[in-house]
Structures are given as C-alpha cells and as structure tokens.
Amino acid sequence: MSGRARLMWDEAVTGYDFGPGHPMDPVRLALTRRLVDAFGLDRELDVVAAKPAGESTLRLVHREDYIDAVRAASLDPAAADQSYGLGTMDDPAFAGMHEVSALIAGQSVGAAEAVWHGEASHAVNFAGGLHHAMPGSASGFCVYNDAALAIARLLELGAERVAYVDVDVHHGDGVQAAFWEDPRVLTISLHEHPATLFPQTGWPEETGADAAEGSAVNVALPAGTGDAGWLRAFHGVVPELLAGFRPQVLVTQHGADTHFEDPLAHLAVSLDAQRAVQAACHDLAHEHADGRWVALGGGGYAVVDVVPRSWTHLVAIAAGRPVEPTTVIPESWRREVFAKTRQLGPGRMTDGRWPVSFGRWESGYDPADRLDQAVLATRRAAFPLRGLLP
C-alpha cells in the first residue's frame, strides 16, 4: 500500500453554492484549502482531482428520476421540482447544480477507489460528507450523497464489510437509509438528539431492517454535550463495534457543526475534541481496516473560525503530519481570510482545551447521567444484535 495519503480536490467544488445568506457558504472550502497550503501539507500528500461521478455511478444510490430532476433544475433553477426536495429553502436550485454535485461525489468515489486499490493509504475529501441526500430527494443542503456513493462503489469493487462512522451534529440519515437493508455496511452515527435537531431521526431503536439487524447504530446525544461527554460516547460505542465488525475499509464523516460556535445546532464541542476524534478514527482504521481510511467533511457553519481549522487538522492527520494544537496560524492565511470575508481569522489551531480528557465507559457509568443514559440506550438497542454485551 502506498505510504502517501491523498487529498481529493478540484477548485470547481467551490461552485457548490446555494446563494447569498445560505449557511453552506463555499468560502469554507476555499479557506480550508488555503490553510492546508499555508501549513505546507499539500507537499505531504498527493493532491488529486477525480472526474465527476457519471450516471451509472450516481445510480448506485440515487433513482434515475431524481437524477433527471436534478439535471432539469440545474438547467432551469426556476422550474425546480420541489417534490424532489429541489428549489426549497434548504436546497435552492442553482445553475450547474448537477455538475458540481456530481463533481463532489466523484471526489469521494475517487477516494474510495484509491484506498481500495492501495494507491493511497488514506484519502480525504473535505468537500464531501453530504450525508442527508436520499435516493430520491435532496435534503439538508445535500443533493447527491457522496458518502453513500463511495460506500456503494466499494461494494461494487468487492468489499464485503464497510464501516461508516458519522460524527456530524446531524444524524447521517441518508447513508443509513441507503444501506438499511445491507448487512455488509455498518453505519454508526453520533449526533444531537432528534428531539432537538434536524432531521429528527437517529433514535437508538433504529437498528436496520430485519435482514440487517444491528447494521445501523445511533447515539442520540443530549443538547449541550461538551468535549468530555462527546469523547466518552464515541469511545463507549465505536471501537467495540469496529473490533467486532472487522471492516475492510473505514469511511468517516467529520462535520464540524458539533462545535460550540456553530449557529445551527446545540452541542458544545471544541476544535480540540474534534481533532481527538479525527486522530481516533485514523488509529481505528489502522487497528481494524488495514489502514484503509476514507475521510469526508460534512456540515459546519462557523465558516471562518472553525471549519478550516478542523478540516486542516483532518488532512494533517491523514497525511501523517499532525499539526500541534498550539501551533500559530500563518499570518498569510489570516490576511486572506480578511480579504475574502472581512472577518478576523483565528490565531492558533486550538480552542485552548488541549489535551482533552474524558472518563472511559469501561470504568463504569452513572445511570442518572443524561449522557450515560444516551450511550446505554444505544448499547442496549444495538450491541446484542451484533453479539456484543450491552
């Protein structure tokens, strides 16, 4: 297997733009790419642009009539068919929408192919992670579900066990739906409780179809969960499941919207805890998937302060050159931030909470604690279906 990691990048992905005022501001992608360069990480991995996902690839997950509707809306945004989730407040139609959505999907599929074929040790597409798109509709700022398409392509190439771990603040509902009946794919999502956040799914009791019971695992975290609780939940669920499943490839989604500054959700996680989970995913890929790791972006709407730093940490970890949290951010990048946004960029690669600490689940739990109740609900619902003790 190649020792070098791969960053999937085509500047045209910044054309995924729902318009002024929409939370999914593509400047977050451009600023992340520039910060990666500012730290010289582009010299530590291979930067590759994959081709857009073609019709046959898109149809691995999406219905033909939906793809046709996206194409039509892309040509004439004013005529978008809202029955497909297009032209809505969350997913406004825009010219070229099909092309740039297929391009983002192509980067994730290309990442999966490179890792599967041993052309790259790890591969990152931080423009991806659009996990809400359904087989027949757009949803939650997502048009094509690149994460599901990458997994479907791995299965097409012969993978028999693929694990998907989603730590976005929102439930990874579209990926779960795509593989609800497929025991070859284990989907694990840690997210804010569906009672308080879109898409109102991801309850612990959602464990997969009858033929694939235990293939979906959901941890519904109480609003306000911070670093210690978030890390406790991750380590109290994910490593044990992966050890039992023995995936051939690990696909992870790293939405940065768990952050305490994010305007669209209610968790209180720091950049430092996000970095800790990214590093844990890297280590778990080596422990359980022979190092095969595909890492994707996702949500994240603090587009200057949080997203670029979080995903630059992700790229650095994948490249084998992790950036120390206390590192000062290059002034050249901060000047570019101001030029693009008229905002002042952050000064360091930390929120000042490093090193983060948490209590391990195996040390015991408190049945009166809301976080522990959430973890226990997941373990009771899903673990016995996988032959594990709750």
Side-chain angles (χ1 to χ4, degrees), residues 189-240:
S189 179
L190 289 86
H191 46 266
E192 184 179 327
H193 199 286
T196 54
L197 194 66
F198 174 89
Q200 283 80 50
T201 58
W203 299 81
E205 295 77 18
E206 297 171 30
T207 54
D210 289 346
E213 276 196 326
S215 65
V217 180
N218 289 288
V219 187
L221 300 167
T225 296
D227 289 0
W230 194 61
L231 291 168
R232 177 171 169 80
F234 179 92
H235 286 280
V237 172
V238 177
E240 200 171 339

Side-chain angles (χ1 to χ4, degrees), residues 167-169 190 225 230 255-260 262 265-270 274:
V167 296
D168 193 288
V169 78
L190 289 86
T225 296
W230 194 61
D257 43 9
T258 51
H259 196 273
F260 55 77
D262 198 272
H266 318 99
L267 295 192
V269 173
S270 74
Q274 290 177 348

